[in-house]
């Protein structure tokens, strides 16, 4: 990696100030994507702002919502009894990310800020209609994801927490990229009081996470795998690479969605 | 002490060191005043180098030197040599274009080293390497062998027309043609053996050091054969005589063949250390390894078998295009020829075989031996072909193999492609594997899987391979530019402990244990009294290293020979001490005794007398108990066996899961069954990896698409089923141990068994053949493409 300065602020205002003061400053959450990127010299920050001492770790739940601090690790999410009980699909998703080491370091906030098109969490956030809380505002999931590696976050803006509605139904099925084991196709199905049935797809789309409205309409009428069996997902706009053509990804969306619904 | 000799599953002596972080790998070594080398490599497959501006890099902080090919050439540094010369059909020697240590004039593959920056820290060297300005003129490039031999293809080397390195053949074409003309059936198959990236856990590293007082160079390197590196680099590249060049290969974390070869980086750091009078270290990044470690396999073949009406094999015809990459790696020419085509008889009595191999240059990383080295390619070809014969003729897969096996009483068996098998029992390994895999119970398991919506298949392969490549005289005739004997020095110390110095090298195989057991068994001392030393040309008399599963069969045999000398000398000393005649001295369980009496002396008493020769036959015998043997085998060894794989396919996604893997291997005498099992498991892991996952992909412009683990599918532990392994043991007839070798059997026998199982699982879809790796996308595509036909039926 290139040389950089390092700072570990102890309050959100200090962190925001440090990130805002320098256009080349970068925030460090769990570092499970960012550190490898640095090691490969694909990024050259002047200063790294470590977010680990901002008190952003933890899970709070009531009968309507589950709120997860941005620096909460995948492991904490997968093993939280509240998440398991209130949004089981989210706990399952967290348990399927990376390996044990990654899950003990990687964070939900870091993943969402990066918005890698093959990351898992964007599918849960979009399908559940979660709210992204930042240091100065709240952003609805529908407004947050703006394409591959692009979000509604302004420069220097920090995610502080993610608020999920309690789900009537939630489940996630992922087909891993055979090499990287990231989601090649990930499908999150959810039914919530506020948003009804939603189906969000990650890993497959050229523009990152997206909603599958045809499946949503069918499942709203009949929440069963049979209801979406005949739905053909168009391959247009899907990624193609050596591991999966757009057509194969389109097919896998159907398979993963049916499996997710069947076990939701 | 419990039983620690031949046949005991003793725990590996070296593991505590490795597992507790006390191993000493090349990158763990740091020399005083050490500098760091970073290599700037070509980011494009084929280009003219119009100029290299080194000014900014040279002026960067911490930089001691920047060198390009021009400086090395001006200093008389030679090219990287090839250690094996193959001749074409017409008798002409292979094309051997220059392989400069740093590119001169052109780059020929992504990863081709262009310049080296040497600085006080690795970070500074990396920073400076980015400041090099290389002016390229891009040229068209090819990566696939079929593209390379097409008319008008871009040339990798201007003076190698058609990109053909050699056009070789073996066998009698006329006899084969005649047999085809008479055949009741002819079955043809085209197939590809996919290109692999070795990916040893420890990336390569090298440190060059120069002692100004003695004028001696030392190279610390991640090598499987330090003496060969000393010979090649000293004699051909840097012109340093052996007595002024020491090569140390300390703990090495996996090789699989990729660390056999002499690499440019070894010469660069050694040469630079001499120029700068400072030690110079280079450590390979994982990404760098993908484009600089020699790759494996990459053969494209057409095969045809002629059969009689009963299914007896009459003749085999094979034509192979073998990818050499951009330059010839150390043993590359031998892999598709003498280590592959010579195995095309397999375990069968096919009386006539003719094989042609065209070796082809492409704009890719050089290709050389990788676990199995040519034998996986021939085993895959043959065992797939046998299954396709069964498919096309309707004969049973097992029955057709049995029908054509070389019978156990036919050994020694001369094949029509040069090799002479000394021993084997293919019916026995087949029978044992069929039982272990419950072959007969498969239809019920297939039905049960179908009820769960899964496609289940079973596949078999019966293979033979050749290890311990030898004798030197023969391999010299075949084009090897080195001998292939092995050396052992047994040093019995005054108080009776033993140091074994071996010319083989352990990089995961457990030699420190296996060889200690061998010595323990022969000399009757506990294994903790035996230390095995390898990997240092300053300590070991000589050696040819470890590859081709040769270490026990050849290196262990050398130890037996050296121990025979120790025992013979010990008997003379014992006879003197006990006032008996030498003929009456017996050696057993570590004691020399006078036959028919209760007089005896322990080995330690004899060794003490040898080093403190107060009462000693000094007129007839030199003091000391330290013996060396060079062992040149009479023949290869021929491990063989039967692998059976069972897979399940998820019809919806195309995912193949290995449900069961059975390997019954005849590896001759086993010293440590636990280590043998571990070797087989590792080989099977790589075999399953090749069959289902691993694939080095170049795009049509010869860019390496699978340049990291993000795209190159390395198997994980959870990809493997429990593996059922066992051995059958017919003994090698020509070495003193009867051992044959086990390091590669898994990687050789397994891939065709896996693909045969996948094809069997897809039998209702009209599949006759598919190329490795059987990825989910490939399987799904096949299922998609064949569904309409199923429906129409």
């Amino acid at each position: 990696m290139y040389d950089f300065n390092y700072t570990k602020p102890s309050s959100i205002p200090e962190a925001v100030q440090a990130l805002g003061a320098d256009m080349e400053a970068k925030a460090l959450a769990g570092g499970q994507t960012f550190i490898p990127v640095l090691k490969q010299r694909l990024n050259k920050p002047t200063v790294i702002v470590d977010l680990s001492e901002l008190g952003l770790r933890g899970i709070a739940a009531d009968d309507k919502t589950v709120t997860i601090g941005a620096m909460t690790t995948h492991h904490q999410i997968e093993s939280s009894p509240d998440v398991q009980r209130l949004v089981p699909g989210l706990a399952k998703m967290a348990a399927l990310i990376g390996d044990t080491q990654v899950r003990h370091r990687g964070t939900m906030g870091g993943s969402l800020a990066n918005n890698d098109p093959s990351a898992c969490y964007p599918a849960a956030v979009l399908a559940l209609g979660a709210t992204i809380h930042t240091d100065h505002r709240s952003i609805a999931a529908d407004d947050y994801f703006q394409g591959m590696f692009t979000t509604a976050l302004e420069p220097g803006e920090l995610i502080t927490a993610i608020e999920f509605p309690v789900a009537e139904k939630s489940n996630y099925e992922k087909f891993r990229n055979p090499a990287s084991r990231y989601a090649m196709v990930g499908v999150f199905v959810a039914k919530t009081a506020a948003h009804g049935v939603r189906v969000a797809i990650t890993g497959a789309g050229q523009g990152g996470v997206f909603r599958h409205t045809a499946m949503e309409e069918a499942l709203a009428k009949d929440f069963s795998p049979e209801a979406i069996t005949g739905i053909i997902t168009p391959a247009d706009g899907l990624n193609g690479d050596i591991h999966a053509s757009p057509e194969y990804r389109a097919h896998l969306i159907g398979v993963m969605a049916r499996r997710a619904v069947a076990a939701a | 002490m419990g039983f620690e000799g031949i046949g005991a599953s003793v725990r590996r002596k070296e593991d505590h060191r490795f597992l507790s972080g006390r191993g000493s790998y090349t990158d763990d070594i740091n020399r005083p005043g050490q500098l760091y080398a970073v290599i700037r490599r070509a980011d494009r497959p084929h280009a003219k180098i119009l100029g290299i501006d080194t000014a900014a890099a040279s002026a960067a902080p911490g930089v001691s030197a920047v060198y390009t090919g021009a400086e090395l050439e001006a200093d008389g540094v030679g090219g990287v040599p090839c250690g094996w010369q193959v001749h074409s059909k017409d008798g002409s020697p292979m094309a051997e274009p220059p392989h400069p240590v740093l590119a001169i004039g052109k780059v020929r593959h992504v990863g081709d080293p262009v310049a080296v920056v040497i600085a006080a820290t690795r970070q500074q060297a990396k920073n400076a390497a980015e400041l090099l300005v290389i002016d390229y003129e891009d040229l068209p490039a090819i990566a696939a062998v079929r593209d390379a031999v097409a008319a008008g293809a871009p040339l990798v080397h201007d003076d190698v027309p058609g990109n053909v390195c050699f056009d070789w053949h073996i066998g009698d074409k006329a006899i084969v043609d005649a047999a085809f003309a008479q055949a009741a059936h002819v079955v043809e198959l085209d197939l590809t053996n996919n290109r692999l990236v070795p990916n040893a856990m420890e990336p390569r590293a090298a440190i060059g050091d120069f002692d100004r007082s003695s004028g001696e160079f030392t190279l610390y390197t991640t090598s499987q054969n330090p003496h060969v590196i000393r010979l090649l680099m000293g004699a051909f590249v840097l012109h340093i005589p052996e007595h002024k060049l020491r090569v140390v290969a300390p703990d090495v974390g996996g090789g699989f063949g990729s660390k056999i070869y002499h690499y440019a980086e070894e010469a660069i750091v050694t040469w630079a250390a001499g120029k700068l009078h400072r030690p110079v270290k280079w450590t390979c990044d994982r990404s760098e390894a993908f484009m600089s470690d020699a790759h494996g396999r990459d053969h494209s073949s057409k095969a045809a078998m002629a059969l009689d009406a009963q299914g007896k094999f009459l003749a085999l015809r094979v034509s192979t295009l073998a990818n050499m990459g951009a330059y010839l790696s150390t043993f590359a020419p031998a892999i598709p020829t003498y280590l592959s085509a010579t195995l095309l008889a397999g375990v069968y009595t096919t009386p006539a075989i003719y094989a042609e191999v065209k070796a082809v240059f492409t704009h890719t990383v050089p290709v050389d031996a990788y676990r199995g080295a040519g034998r996986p390619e021939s085993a895959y070809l043959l065992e797939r072909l046998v299954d396709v014969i069964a498919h096309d003729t309707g004969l049973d897969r097992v029955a057709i193999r049995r029908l054509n096996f070389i019978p156990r009483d036919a050994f020694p068996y001369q094949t029509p492609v040069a090799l002479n098998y000394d021993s084997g029992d293919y019916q026995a390994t087949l029978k044992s594997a069929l039982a272990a895999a419950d072959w007969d119970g498969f239809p019920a398991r297939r039905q049960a899987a179908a009820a769960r919506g899964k496609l289940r298949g079973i596949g078999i392969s019966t293979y033979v391979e050749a290890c311990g490549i030898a004798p030197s005289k023969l391999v010299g005739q075949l084009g090897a530019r080195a001998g292939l004997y092995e050396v052992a020095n047994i040093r019995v110390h005054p108080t009776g402990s033993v140091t074994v110095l071996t010319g083989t090298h352990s990089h995961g195989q457990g030699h420190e244990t296996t060889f200690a057991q061998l010595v323990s068994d022969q000399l009757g001392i506990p294994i903790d009294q035996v230390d095995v030393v390898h990997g240092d040309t300053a300590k070991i008399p000589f050696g040819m290293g470890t590859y081709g599963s040769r270490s026990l069969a050849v290196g262990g045999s050398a130890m037996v020979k050296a121990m025979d000398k120790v025992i013979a000398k010990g008997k003379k000393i014992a006879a003197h001490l006990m006032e008996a005649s030498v003929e009456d001295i017996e050696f057993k369980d570590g004691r020399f005794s006078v036959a028919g009496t209760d007089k005896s002396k322990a080995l330690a008493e004899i060794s003490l007398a040898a080093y403190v020769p107060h009462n000693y036959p000094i007129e007839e015998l030199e003091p000391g108990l330290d013996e060396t043997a060079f062992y040149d085998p009479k023949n290869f060894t021929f491990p063989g066996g039967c692998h059976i794989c069972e897979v399940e396919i998820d019809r919806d996604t195309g995912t193949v899961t290995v449900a069961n893997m059975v390997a019954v291997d005849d590896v001759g005498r086993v010293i440590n069954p636990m280590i043998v099992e571990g070797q087989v498991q590792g080989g099977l892991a790589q075999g399953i990896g090749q069959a289902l996952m691993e694939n080095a992909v170049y795009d049509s412009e010869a860019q390496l698409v699978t340049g990291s683990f993000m795209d190159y599918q390395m198997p994980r532990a959870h990809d493997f089923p429990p593996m059922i392994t066992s051995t059958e043991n017919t003994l090698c007839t020509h070495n003193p141990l009867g051992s044959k070798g086990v390091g590669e059997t898994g990687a050789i026998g397994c891939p065709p068994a896996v693909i045969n199982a996948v094809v069997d699982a897809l039998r209702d879809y009209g599949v006759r053949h598919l190329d490795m790796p059987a990825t989910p996308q490939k399987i799904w595509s096949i299922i998609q493409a064949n569904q309409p036909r199923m429906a129409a039926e």
Side-chain angles (χ1 to χ4, degrees):
Chain A
M1 52 184 75
Y2 295 107
D3 292 346
F4 52 80
N5 290 315
Y6 171 85
T7 178
K8 184 151 68 172
S10 52
S11 73
I12 292 170
E14 279 177 65
V16 170
Q17 201 273 331
L19 286 166
D22 187 336
M23 287 295 286
E24 301 301 322
K26 287 276 178 191
L28 172 67
Q32 297 306 290
T33 300
F34 190 42
I35 300 288
V37 163
L38 290 178
K39 286 172 79 171
Q40 289 180 57
R41 296 189 158 213
L42 297 173
N43 203 308
K44 196 176 180 178
T46 48
V47 58
I48 285 184
V49 182
D50 185 337
L51 308 179
S52 61
E53 296 293 320
L54 304 181
L56 296 179
R57 192 173 280 221
I59 297 169
D62 56 34
D63 56 357
K64 289 210 172 60
T65 61
V66 176
T67 302
I68 298 177
M71 288 293 285
T72 309
T73 63
H74 314 323
H75 172 73
Q76 288 172 306
I77 294 165
E78 71 174 282
S79 54
S80 157
D82 286 335
V83 180
Q84 288 170 2
R85 184 168 48 90
L86 300 170
V87 198
L90 183 60
K92 177 181 173 186
M93 171 183 275
L96 294 175
I97 296 173
D99 54 26
T100 305
Q101 289 82 352
V102 165
R103 291 197 292 276
H104 276 79
R105 295 292 307 179
T107 66
M108 181 180 272
S111 171
L112 291 172
N114 192 44
N115 193 21
D116 187 308
S118 55
C120 292
Y121 286 132
V125 168
L126 191 59
L128 289 159
T131 304
I132 312 286
H133 296 292
T134 77
D135 55 281
H136 67 274
R137 61 176 172 149
S138 297
I139 309 170
D142 290 339
D143 302 325
Y144 179 79
F145 301 104
Q146 302 195 345
M148 201 179 272
F149 296 108
T150 310
T151 69
L153 291 175
E154 297 156 2
E157 185 173 8
L158 275 185
I159 300 175
T160 54
I162 303 93
E163 183 185 326
F164 292 90
V166 168
E168 276 175 52
K169 287 183 183 297
S170 70
N171 196 17
Y172 182 61
E173 284 289 337
K174 158 160 86 169
F175 193 89
R176 288 181 167 88
N177 176 305
S180 71
R181 320 275 165 138
Y182 279 81
M184 196 158 83
V185 167
V187 178
F188 199 100
V189 295
K191 188 172 181 186
T192 58
H195 303 289
V197 174
R198 280 192 175 191
V199 179
I201 317 292
T202 190
Q206 288 172 359
V209 67
F210 66 92
R211 284 172 55 190
H212 201 305
T213 46
M215 287 190 185
E216 290 178 356
E217 284 163 21
L219 291 170
K221 290 180 201 137
D222 171 14
F223 195 89
S224 74
E226 293 73 32
I228 52 173
T229 298
I231 294 177
I232 306 283
T233 303
D236 300 346
L238 299 185
N239 287 320
D241 53 37
I242 59 168
H243 303 289
S245 62
E247 292 72 23
Y248 183 42
R249 278 190 167 85
H251 168 81
L252 287 175
I253 287 171
V255 176
M256 294 298 119
R258 287 194 296 278
R259 289 182 183 178
V261 169
Chain B
M1 109 190 183
F3 176 55
E4 297 180 328
I6 292 176
S9 282
V10 175
R11 284 196 180 186
R12 302 199 335 164
K13 291 179 73 170
E14 49 271 76
D15 282 349
H16 196 259
R17 183 170 92 245
F18 294 150
L19 296 173
S20 60
R22 288 181 291 120
S24 179
Y25 296 87
T26 300
D27 192 55
D28 294 325
I29 296 169
N30 292 296
R31 304 295 301 156
Q34 172 178 293
L35 300 171
Y36 293 81
V38 164
I39 291 167
R40 177 77 179 264
R41 298 178 183 279
D43 58 356
R44 61 204 68 210
H46 192 200
K48 253 185 213 158
I49 303 172
L50 300 177
I52 305 173
D53 185 348
T54 61
S58 300
V63 172
S64 293
V66 178
Y67 298 117
T68 66
E71 281 85 19
L72 274 76
E73 192 178 40
D75 202 47
V77 173
V80 179
C82 181
W84 199 298
Q85 186 181 48
V86 167
H87 287 77
S88 288
K89 293 170 184 170
D90 62 6
S92 61
M94 66 187 190
E96 215 170 336
H99 182 183
V101 167
L102 288 171
I104 293 171
K106 268 187 184 179
V107 294
R108 293 187 175 84
H109 68 88
V110 172
D112 207 355
V114 178
V116 60
V117 175
I118 297 165
T121 68
R122 189 149 191 264
Q123 183 77 353
Q124 287 173 325
K126 274 195 163 191
N127 291 343
E130 291 179 0
L131 300 176
L132 288 164
V133 182
I134 305 168
D135 189 9
Y136 287 116
E137 179 190 323
D138 285 319
L139 297 167
I142 33 91
V145 282
R146 299 215 179 273
D147 294 340
V149 295
L155 293 183
V156 181
H157 300 276
D158 293 340
D159 53 355
V160 182
N163 293 315
V164 175
C165 174
F166 58 79
D167 185 2
W168 173 93
H169 67 162
I170 192 169
D172 192 320
K173 186 169 186 299
I175 294 177
V176 168
D177 287 347
F180 270 84
Q182 305 287 318
H185 308 284
V186 171
V187 175
E188 297 180 347
L189 176 65
D190 291 1
L191 81 180
T192 296
N193 205 287
N194 44 324
R195 188 183 183 107
L196 304 175
V197 181
N199 282 317
M201 191 177 288
E202 178 206 23
R204 288 188 298 120
I207 307 166
D209 202 351
F210 178 65
D211 183 335
R212 290 179 72 182
S213 66
S214 66
E216 187 185 289
F217 289 86
T218 302
L219 168 68
Y220 302 86
T221 183
T222 48
S223 177
Q224 300 177 215
N225 49 353
H227 284 89
V228 175
I229 301 304
R230 184 180 67 169
L231 176 69
L232 292 174
M233 185 176 82
F236 298 101
V237 188
L238 299 182
H239 314 297
I240 304 168
E242 271 105 331
H243 70 293
K244 292 292 184 195
L245 177 57
R246 176 184 174 198
V247 177
V248 182
D251 285 333
V252 172
F256 315 116
S258 71
K259 292 172 182 167
I260 299 172
Y261 325 117
H262 175 42
Y263 285 97
E265 297 85 359
E266 295 170 324
I268 291 169
V269 296
T270 308
W271 176 82
K275 288 288 145 209
L276 300 170
H277 293 174
R278 298 271 297 273
V280 177
K281 177 190 266 190
W282 169 79
T283 304
C284 194
D285 283 341
R286 179 63 66 186
S287 308
E288 200 177 5
F290 270 91
M291 54 176 159
S292 67
D293 292 358
H295 291 179
R297 319 282 193 252
D298 204 345
H299 290 183
S300 181
S301 298
K302 288 176 177 294
M305 186 75 88
L307 303 108
D308 72 10
Q310 283 70 46
K312 269 286 230 188
F313 303 159
L314 300 176
L316 173 66
R317 186 190 280 147
V318 175
S319 173
T320 293
L321 290 172
N323 200 335
M324 295 284 104
Y327 305 100
L328 289 178
S329 177
T330 309
F331 290 118
I335 310 310
T337 52
Y338 296 107
L339 293 176
S340 194
T342 51
L343 266 301
L344 284 171
V347 292
Y348 309 114
T349 55
T350 316
I353 298 173
Y354 178 71
E356 303 171 284
V357 177
K358 204 176 265 188
V360 177
F361 289 113
T362 61
H363 295 103
T364 63
V365 174
V367 180
D368 208 324
Y370 169 73
R371 202 169 193 168
R375 292 100 83 206
E377 293 89 325
S378 55
Y380 180 69
L381 181 147
L382 207 49
E383 291 305 297
R384 278 297 304 132
L385 182 58
V386 172
D387 259 37
V388 169
I389 290 167
H391 173 274
D392 289 6
T393 61
L395 293 164
D396 176 74
R397 292 180 280 170
V398 174
I400 197 171
R401 285 179 165 87
R402 282 204 169 110
L403 176 69
N404 285 283
F405 275 166
I406 298 163
R408 64 170 299 164
D409 57 8
F411 295 94
Y413 180 81
Q414 178 63 50
T415 75
V417 275
L419 298 181
N420 188 286
Y421 303 164
D422 64 333
S423 67
D425 187 346
Y426 310 129
Q427 299 281 5
T429 45
L430 173 72
K431 189 177 167 202
S432 176
L434 290 172
D438 183 22
W439 180 271
D440 294 337
F442 174 73
R445 295 193 294 279
R446 182 175 167 98
Q447 214 166 18
R452 286 181 279 112
K454 299 285 171 77
L455 304 168
R456 196 163 173 119
I458 193 165
I460 187 167
S461 86
T462 49
Y463 76 96
V464 66
E465 59 135 334
C467 298
I469 174 171
S472 295
K473 183 180 174 185
L474 172 71
V475 298
Q477 287 164 359
L478 302 183
R481 288 164 167 163
L484 280 162
Y485 49 85
E486 199 42 77
V487 186
N489 172 226
I490 302 286
R491 190 168 293 169
V492 184
H493 299 294
T495 58
S497 67
V498 172
T499 300
V500 183
L501 298 110
T502 171
T504 65
H505 187 279
S506 189
H507 30 279
Q509 294 88 342
H511 291 177
E512 291 170 49
T513 308
T514 301
F515 290 154
Q517 285 181 258
L518 176 57
V519 171
S520 166
D521 193 277
Q522 304 279 297
L523 296 184
I525 57 173
I527 62 168
D528 64 8
Q529 292 292 302
V530 186
D531 260 2
V532 177
V533 176
H534 56 248
D536 187 344
T537 62
K539 293 180 183 169
I540 318 298
F542 204 76
M544 298 309 298
T546 285
Y547 40 81
S549 308
R550 69 190 299 275
S551 297
L552 182 62
V554 190
S557 294
M559 287 172 205
V560 171
K561 296 281 184 191
M563 284 189 283
D564 287 347
K565 294 186 190 179
V566 165
I567 293 164
K569 185 172 180 182
K571 282 183 177 175
K572 290 181 188 167
I573 301 167
H576 174 86
L577 292 177
M578 293 186 282
E579 296 177 337
S581 95
V582 173
E583 292 72 35
D584 291 338
I585 304 294
E586 292 170 344
F587 181 71
K588 192 164 180 270
D589 298 333
R591 296 194 76 84
F592 293 90
S593 41
V594 182
T597 74
D598 59 357
K599 285 202 280 187
S600 77
K601 291 209 175 278
L603 175 66
E605 294 174 90
I606 300 301
S607 60
L608 190 64
Y611 286 98
V612 188
H614 296 162
N615 177 17
Y616 195 80
I618 201 81
E619 298 296 325
E620 308 132 47
L621 217 51
E622 294 171 8
L625 198 53
D626 182 329
E627 297 289 347
T628 298
F630 283 59
Y631 173 74
D632 201 278
K634 295 187 185 72
N635 192 358
F636 293 71
T637 63
F638 297 97
C642 178
H643 291 190
I644 296 177
C645 178
E646 212 162 310
V647 300
E648 271 193 16
I649 294 175
D650 178 342
R651 233 188 308 222
D652 292 335
T653 64
T655 304
V656 179
T657 307
V658 181
N660 194 26
M661 186 73 226
V662 170
V664 178
D665 300 296
D666 177 359
V667 298
R669 190 181 313 285
V670 170
I671 307 295
N672 184 319
M674 181 196 71
I675 289 179
V676 164
E677 185 181 4
Q679 286 289 305
V680 173
Q681 286 178 349
L684 294 175
Q686 281 170 304
I688 292 170
Q690 170 164 27
L692 298 181
M693 302 169 219
E694 298 187 50
N695 199 21
V697 179
Y698 282 91
D699 68 15
S700 56
E701 266 91 55
Q703 273 288 346
L704 181 60
V705 178
T706 51
S708 79
F709 292 135
M710 290 297 282
D711 284 304
Y712 186 86
Q713 187 183 352
M714 273 304 271
R716 279 31 171 209
H718 69 248
D719 292 320
F720 302 116
M723 297 166 181
I724 301 168
T725 69
S726 65
T727 58
E728 293 282 330
N729 311 106
T730 68
L731 299 184
C732 169
T733 60
H734 56 79
N735 71 35
L737 283 166
S739 298
K740 298 183 176 183
V742 69
E744 298 157 292
T745 57
I748 294 167
C750 168
V754 177
I755 296 298
N756 287 345
V758 171
V759 171
D760 183 51
L762 295 170
R763 68 172 102 127
D764 294 341
Y765 291 81
V767 176
R768 182 176 181 263
H769 174 70
L770 57 88
D771 279 323
M772 300 186 288
T775 60
Q777 172 168 247
K778 188 178 286 176
I779 300 298
W780 174 77
S781 303
I782 289 168
I783 290 173
Q784 288 301 110
N786 290 287
Q787 254 167 358
R789 195 170 67 185
M790 295 261 310
E793 286 166 1

